[in-house]
């Protein structure tokens, strides 16, 4: 039996630029220390103790991640919740050690398996940010509200096109947001629980969901609006928004944002969400608006219609221009498409438009990456634009920026919000789509290209993995 200890000091910086800070790091502690000690070992296995000490502002929840370099795996862990994907290990606080005051520590233990050497991790990530050195100098810690542009809805507001609806199961979209992101319901007793953020402007608190849903099946019943307009979207079934569809399973997919575990809204055929009636502040008639969402290029189909955006208040196909929503999938509505998608298109009702007409737009391209950014903006009378990108890197590609299709000027938007189905929801042919929703927002006004580019930079900085 032998023991060995490694002490690593980690400095967690706050927001470092208008669009470079992630949601998690914006409210992370300015410094921490991690003590990782192998306490015993045996052929093929080892035990370890890990202590994280907060050297900065108080934390109300934490996640610690590291990478094993020699194929080690965690087989048992106590005083926390562990998830391992390949070499990466993420430990989320238990309910009783979530709070870390300044100078406070939390310790958890683990047993692991090894096949030979057992080097200690070379570094750690706490609450989404990783760096090494001494604690940061004592100066005011930047906050999302003092770093305008750090999160998508901060950026839109700074550009004069404020968010009027903002939805996500993974993170806050405003630097000041401290409320609930979504609600889950468990099968064992039909009780519900709101899932909030780990810290102000931060990532969703996956540990709350894990504890509540342990040993039961959970579904997502509501995705809350972070904008303050009350535009929550609920599943379109009995007890939800009053339609026929069912809620999505809450535990189907996990992702990480800068090392922080979060859950997606993983929509399969028959799942969809809707804002019942006309939403507050959302564009109607020919008023201009913009929409963005982060989705997945690997969970798609060609059925109608994986949409997010402006829709009919009566759930009926009410004519050309009654919708203004992003569509993402492999449907080629009018034919003539190039390749097999998936593509970012505009659902304007009575058609999924790849550009300004029913002819296939040659500038369209497929987005097959795990995470995809899609944007749509419409001035309501003459012009609309569609853009897309890998959400992990690079800038937005303009797929269309020009006139509205014939018959769609002026637009006749009704101001409801749809997520995961077509506007005439719950008919036999509009709720068969599949797709994943991570985050998205609708804004008042026609966003500038610079604003949209800054939003994309913020999404990349969030570190979806």
């Amino acid at each position: 039996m032998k023991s060995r200890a490694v002490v690593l000091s980690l400095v967690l910086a706050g927001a470092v630029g208008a669009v470079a800070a992630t949601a998690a790091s914006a409210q992370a502690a300015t410094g921490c220390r991690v003590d990782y000690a192998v306490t015993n070992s045996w052929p093929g296995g080892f035990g370890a103790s890990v202590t994280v000490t907060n050297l900065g502002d108080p934390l109300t929840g934490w996640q610690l991640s590291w990478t094993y370099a020699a194929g080690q795996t965690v087989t048992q862990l106590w005083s926390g919740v562990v998830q391992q994907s390949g070499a990466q290990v993420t430990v989320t606080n238990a309910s009783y050690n979530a709070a870390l005051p300044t100078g406070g520590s939390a310790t958890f233990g683990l047993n692991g398996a090894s096949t030979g050497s057992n080097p200690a991790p070379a570094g750690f990530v706490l609450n989404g940010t990783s760096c090494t050195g001494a604690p940061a100098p004592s100066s005011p810690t930047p906050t999302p509200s003092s770093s305008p542009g750090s999160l998508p809805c901060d950026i839109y507001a700074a550009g004069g096109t404020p968010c009027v609806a903002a939805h996500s199961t993974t993170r806050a979209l405003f630097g000041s947001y401290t409320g609930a992101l979504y609600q889950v319901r468990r099968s064992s007793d039909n009780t519900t629980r709101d899932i909030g953020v780990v810290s102000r402007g931060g990532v969703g608190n996956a540990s709350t969901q894990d504890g509540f849903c342990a040993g039961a099946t959970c579904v997502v019943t509501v995705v809350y609006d972070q904008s303050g307009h009350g535009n929550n979207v609920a599943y379109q079934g009995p007890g939800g928004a009053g339609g026929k569809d069912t809620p999505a399973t809450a535990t189907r997919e996990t992702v990480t944002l800068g090392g922080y575990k979060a859950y997606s809204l993983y929509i399969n055929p028959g799942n969809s969400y809707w804002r019942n009636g006309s939403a507050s502040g959302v564009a109607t008639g020919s008023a201009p608006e913009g929409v963005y969402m982060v989705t997945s290029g690997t969970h798609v189909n060609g059925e109608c219609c994986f949409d997010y955006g402006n829709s009919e208040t009566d759930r009926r196909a009410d004519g050309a221009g009654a919708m203004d929503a992003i569509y993402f999938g492999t449907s080629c509505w009018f034919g003539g498409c190039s390749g097999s998608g998936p593509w970012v298109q505009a659902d304007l009702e009575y058609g999924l438009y790849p550009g300004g007409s029913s002819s296939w737009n040659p500038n369209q391209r497929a987005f097959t990456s795990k995470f995809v950014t899609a944007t749509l903006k419409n001035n309501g009378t003459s012009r609309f634009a569609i853009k897309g990108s890998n959400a992990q890197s690079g800038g937005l590609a303009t797929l269309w920026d020009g006139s509205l299709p014939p018959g769609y000027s002026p637009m006749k938007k009704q101001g409801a919000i749809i997520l995961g189905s077509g506007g005439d929801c719950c008919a036999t042919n509009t709720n068969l789509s599949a797709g994943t929703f991570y985050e998205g927002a609708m804004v008042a006004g026609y966003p500038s290209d610079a604003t949209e580019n800054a939003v994309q930079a913020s999404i990349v900085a969030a570190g979806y993995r």
Side-chain angles (χ1 to χ4, degrees), residues 388-403:
S389 179
N390 186 330
Q392 293 178 303
S393 63
L396 291 167
T398 299
L399 309 173
W400 177 261
D401 189 349
S403 61

Side-chain angles (χ1 to χ4, degrees), residues 216-313:
T217 299
C218 272
V219 294
V220 177
T221 49
V222 180
V223 183
Y224 291 110
D225 173 24
Q226 302 177 28
S227 74
H229 286 264
N231 293 323
N232 309 328
V233 290
Y235 76 95
Q236 299 195 72
K244 299 178 181 178
D245 278 7
T246 57
T249 301
T251 54
R252 181 61 180 80
E253 182 191 57
T254 61
V255 297
T256 62
L257 284 79
Y260 236 90
K261 176 184 174 183
Y263 284 95
S264 70
L265 184 64
Y266 194 91
I267 290 177
N268 281 321
N271 304 146
S272 71
Y273 296 79
W274 188 64
R275 166 66 170 118
N276 192 2
S278 182
S280 170
V282 174
T284 58
S286 61
E289 74 174 343
V291 188
Y292 93 92
M293 74 170 170
V294 178
T295 183
S296 173
T298 61
H299 176 224
V300 295
N301 68 11
E303 302 296 335
C304 184
C305 297
F306 185 71
D307 290 347
Y308 174 64
N310 198 316
S311 183
E312 293 96 338
T313 58

Side-chain angles (χ1 to χ4, degrees), residues 81-382:
V81 178
V82 66
Q83 180 184 29
Q84 184 164 357
S85 176
Q88 183 175 354
V89 179
T90 300
V91 176
T92 304
N93 59 264
S95 59
Y96 53 82
N97 63 6
L100 279 183
T102 302
S105 299
T107 299
F108 57 89
L110 63 90
N111 289 329
S114 59
T115 58
S117 62
N118 183 27
F124 294 86
V125 172
L126 177 67
N127 284 17
T129 303
S130 176
C131 49
T132 60
S138 56
S139 58
T141 302
T143 66
S145 58
S146 64
S147 301
S150 61
L151 297 184
C153 284
D154 301 326
I155 296 168
Y156 279 119
T161 52
C163 290
V164 293
H167 305 103
S168 177
T169 61
T170 61
R171 64 169 180 155
L173 302 180
F174 291 85
S176 60
Y177 191 72
T178 59
L181 297 180
Y182 60 103
Q183 180 189 87
V184 295
R185 185 183 69 207
R186 65 185 175 200
S187 59
S188 57
D189 57 6
N190 283 327
T191 59
T192 60
R193 176 68 57 86
D194 286 347
I195 309 300
V197 291
V198 170
S199 59
R200 184 167 69 97
V203 177
N205 196 333
S207 63
T208 300
Q209 177 175 315
D210 289 339
F212 180 73
C213 297
T217 299
C218 272
V219 294
V220 177
T221 49
V222 180
V223 183
Y224 291 110
D225 173 24
Q226 302 177 28
S227 74
H229 286 264
N231 293 323
N232 309 328
V233 290
Y235 76 95
Q236 299 195 72
K244 299 178 181 178
D245 278 7
T246 57
T249 301
T251 54
R252 181 61 180 80
E253 182 191 57
T254 61
V255 297
T256 62
L257 284 79
Y260 236 90
K261 176 184 174 183
Y263 284 95
S264 70
L265 184 64
Y266 194 91
I267 290 177
N268 281 321
N271 304 146
S272 71
Y273 296 79
W274 188 64
R275 166 66 170 118
N276 192 2
S278 182
S280 170
V282 174
T284 58
S286 61
E289 74 174 343
V291 188
Y292 93 92
M293 74 170 170
V294 178
T295 183
S296 173
T298 61
H299 176 224
V300 295
N301 68 11
E303 302 296 335
C304 184
C305 297
F306 185 71
D307 290 347
Y308 174 64
N310 198 316
S311 183
E312 293 96 338
T313 58
D314 59 4
R315 291 198 186 95
R316 296 181 180 179
D318 288 334
M323 290 184 64
D324 185 31
I326 297 171
Y327 165 80
F328 189 72
T330 60
S331 178
C332 183
W333 185 272
F334 296 109
C337 56
S338 176
S340 56
W343 305 286
V344 182
Q345 300 180 70
D347 191 342
L348 305 179
E349 194 54 277
Y350 285 15
L352 302 177
Y353 283 87
S357 71
S358 58
S359 299
W360 186 252
N361 172 16
N363 290 326
Q364 271 287 344
R365 66 180 72 175
F367 293 94
T368 59
S369 58
K370 169 61 177 173
F371 303 99
V372 176
T373 305
T375 72
L376 170 67
K377 56 185 176 182
N378 188 323
N379 73 0
T381 57
S382 60

